[in-house]
Amino acid sequence: MKKLLLPFLLLSIASFGQSNLRSKIDQSSDQVESKVIEWRRDFHKYPELGNQEFRTAEKIAAHLRSLGMEVTEEVAVTGVVGILRGGKPGPMVGLRADMDALPVTERNDLPFKSVNTATYNGQETGVMHACGHDSHVAILMGVAEVLAGMKDDLEGSVKFIFQPAEEGVYDVDIAGAELMVKEGVMDDVDAIFGLHIWAQIEAGKIGYRSGPFLAAVDNLEISVKGTQAHGAAPWSSVDPIVTSAQIITGLQTILSRNVNITENPAVVTIGAIHGGIRHNIIPESVEMIGTVRTFGDEQQALVHKRITEIATNIAESAGAVADVRIGKLYPSTVNPPELTRQMTPSMIASAGEGNVIAMPPVTGAEDFSFFQREKPGFFIFLGGMKKGGDPLTTPSHHTPDFYIEESGFKLGVRTLSYFVVDYMGMK
């Protein structure tokens, strides 16, 4: 009988300890909320593009040092990593926030409206946190303060990863999470957690998905070479414009006839096409560029294969030649089913059962996926839309009118903190 009672006794003690830590997190999250909002407004007013987050990184590093952490700067160019050593042995849990803004000129009339401009790809532009990374940084700074205040109770350590260049950098081959992984940031991490503010979910709610959540993103370039001729004598040409039009139409059959859309969607979009210079000249060549979105390595390989087959064979049938180039950018963000199952009670405890939403796949992409390829990682969406708002009319990410409701930040602080103590309690 004693042998049977012992496991239940130990389980009760562990549950009590976890509940006690959650109570401390709740109190500390309330206390730090105003700071989080203040930090976010400061970062919003002074946004910085990828690999240029110098002011942002300086403020983050100063905050982490004030909490007694081991801090490393200039990680993957401008990244900051802080380590909080817990008072008890246990796993190293990673938490990640991305820091960079976008080349977007803000239209919102806010007291903390962006004042920064920059040169991007040779053009002068406004700079704006039009994807919410300012809120990610502020929330993670809040989590750092909450967990530092209870470090003696932590059964493990926490690595705070402030990542540059999530949106990519147009003039370098490797940046952001991929470069952080290459530099060894994930070597000692057992599991990693992250969130993204989401303007189409109400503040106070959490969205998540088990398995493939966000898409892999790849750049597509297709060159079609034909034979130039006078526009009045098209029979003398091999028309790359007509051939390109047929290729564009053909590419859509990948989604309607090759991809099993009952499992996961896919996207093949041609975003620009250029050929010719005059109304009565059939040009020699046409250039097309686009984006490809897929979920999982197998689907990605299928879509890439069909793009190449369709483009080259249609061109050959017309007497033209197509050169297809596909550049892989970010892999699909995939939440491991077992880790998702383990962390779902943490989300429910933090937000309330009715406020945790299982979502369909999202065709946007996230370089958090590079961290997940190294160690188990769980990624969620944090609601940032005004309560009662319409997701169809609320300005979306990457637009000049993008706006985030700040009342949801405290939930972000609480949830990431729960993830840490709950994961540690499982090990």
Side-chain angles (χ1 to χ4, degrees):
M1 186 66 175
K2 289 181 180 179
K3 289 182 179 180
L4 290 173
L5 285 173
L6 184 59
F8 290 104
L9 179 61
L10 292 175
L11 181 62
S12 299
I13 293 170
S15 300
F16 175 78
Q18 185 184 69
S19 176
N20 186 43
L21 291 181
R22 284 181 177 176
S23 177
K24 289 183 179 180
I25 288 169
D26 293 345
Q27 294 174 15
S28 297
S29 297
D30 289 341
Q31 294 166 0
V32 82
E33 181 182 20
S34 61
K35 287 186 180 181
V36 171
I37 292 172
E38 183 180 349
W39 289 327
R40 180 262 173 165
R41 292 183 177 185
D42 178 75
F43 293 132
H44 190 88
K45 188 173 183 178
Y46 302 103
E48 297 168 303
L49 295 175
N51 284 354
Q52 300 174 32
E53 308 96 328
F54 303 110
R55 180 183 181 274
T56 304
E58 183 180 4
K59 293 183 77 69
I60 292 168
H63 178 63
L64 298 183
R65 285 196 178 95
S66 74
L67 299 173
M69 293 192 197
E70 306 164 23
V71 178
T72 305
E73 298 180 72
E74 298 181 2
V75 182
V77 185
T78 50
V80 179
V81 175
I83 296 178
L84 177 67
R85 304 286 181 186
K88 303 172 185 178
M92 175 72 79
V93 180
L95 297 176
R96 174 269 204 166
D98 39 8
M99 307 189 298
D100 56 325
L102 287 158
V104 174
T105 302
E106 185 167 16
R107 277 199 297 250
N108 293 315
D109 185 16
L110 299 169
F112 50 93
K113 179 179 179 178
S114 170
V115 298
N116 282 2
T117 60
T119 301
Y120 182 83
N121 199 12
Q123 299 183 51
E124 290 299 314
T125 178
V127 181
M128 178 188 174
H129 271 296
C131 202
H133 297 185
D134 50 347
S135 59
H136 304 168
V137 172
I139 287 169
L140 193 54
M141 289 171 66
V143 174
E145 187 158 325
V146 168
L147 295 181
M150 49 191 290
K151 66 179 181 179
D152 291 344
D153 297 319
L154 295 180
E155 298 177 349
S157 299
V158 187
K159 179 174 279 192
F160 294 89
I161 302 169
F162 291 87
Q163 176 211 310
E166 188 278 332
E167 301 289 356
V169 182
Y170 71 91
D171 55 353
V172 300
D173 293 330
I174 180 171
E178 185 177 12
L179 184 54
M180 281 195 142
V181 168
K182 186 177 180 180
E183 292 186 1
V185 166
M186 292 295 292
D187 289 354
D188 59 349
V189 171
D190 293 285
I192 186 166
F193 301 95
L195 59 74
H196 201 302
I197 201 82
W198 201 243
Q200 275 64 50
I201 297 177
E202 281 188 340
K205 296 185 177 182
I206 293 172
Y208 78 103
R209 178 177 173 81
S210 179
F213 188 10
L214 287 94
V217 56
D218 305 312
N219 281 343
L220 172 62
E221 299 177 2
I222 303 176
S223 301
V224 180
K225 187 174 182 181
T227 301
Q228 188 162 320
H230 196 295
W235 50 85
S236 301
S237 75
V238 175
D239 192 336
I241 291 181
V242 171
T243 304
S244 296
Q246 292 172 336
I247 289 172
I248 293 170
T249 301
L251 293 177
Q252 303 315 304
T253 64
I254 297 172
L255 312 182
S256 64
R257 291 297 178 268
N258 301 135
V259 172
N260 185 348
I261 58 173
T262 65
E263 295 178 352
N264 280 309
V267 173
V268 179
T269 293
I270 298 299
I273 176 169
H274 178 75
I277 195 170
R278 185 176 166 85
H279 62 278
N280 63 348
I281 299 175
I282 294 172
E284 183 177 52
S285 62
V286 166
E287 300 289 333
M288 290 180 278
I289 58 174
T291 187
V292 180
R293 307 295 171 115
T294 53
F295 292 85
D297 294 344
E298 184 177 340
Q299 188 192 68
Q300 184 185 51
L302 168 67
V303 172
H304 287 191
K305 177 174 177 286
R306 292 299 293 137
I307 289 171
T308 301
E309 290 173 345
I310 288 168
T312 56
N313 289 326
I314 287 177
E316 183 180 3
S317 72
V321 175
D323 177 33
V324 179
R325 301 173 299 280
I326 303 175
K328 290 185 178 181
L329 296 179
Y330 302 165
S332 179
T333 301
V334 180
N335 285 330
E338 178 59 20
L339 185 59
T340 303
R341 184 192 64 78
Q342 290 174 329
M343 305 320 299
T344 297
S346 304
M347 291 187 291
I348 293 172
S350 180
E353 189 162 8
N355 294 319
V356 177
I357 307 162
M359 296 179 63
V362 176
T363 50
E366 242 287 350
D367 72 352
F368 185 83
S369 53
F370 285 108
F371 297 128
Q372 289 178 314
R373 294 223 157 185
E374 299 300 309
K375 301 291 175 64
F378 185 55
F379 194 72
I380 63 171
F381 281 174
L382 178 70
M385 181 177 67
K386 288 183 177 180
K387 293 192 177 181
D390 182 352
L392 297 178
T393 59
T394 297
S396 64
H397 296 245
H398 290 218
T399 66
D401 303 305
F402 176 77
Y403 174 81
I404 287 298
E405 173 59 43
E406 297 171 331
S407 63
F409 293 174
K410 183 170 66 173
L411 175 60
V413 173
R414 186 167 63 239
T415 303
L416 288 181
S417 300
Y418 277 20
F419 283 166
V420 170
V421 299
D422 291 353
Y423 183 82
M424 288 177 175
M426 297 173 191
K427 299 301 162 181

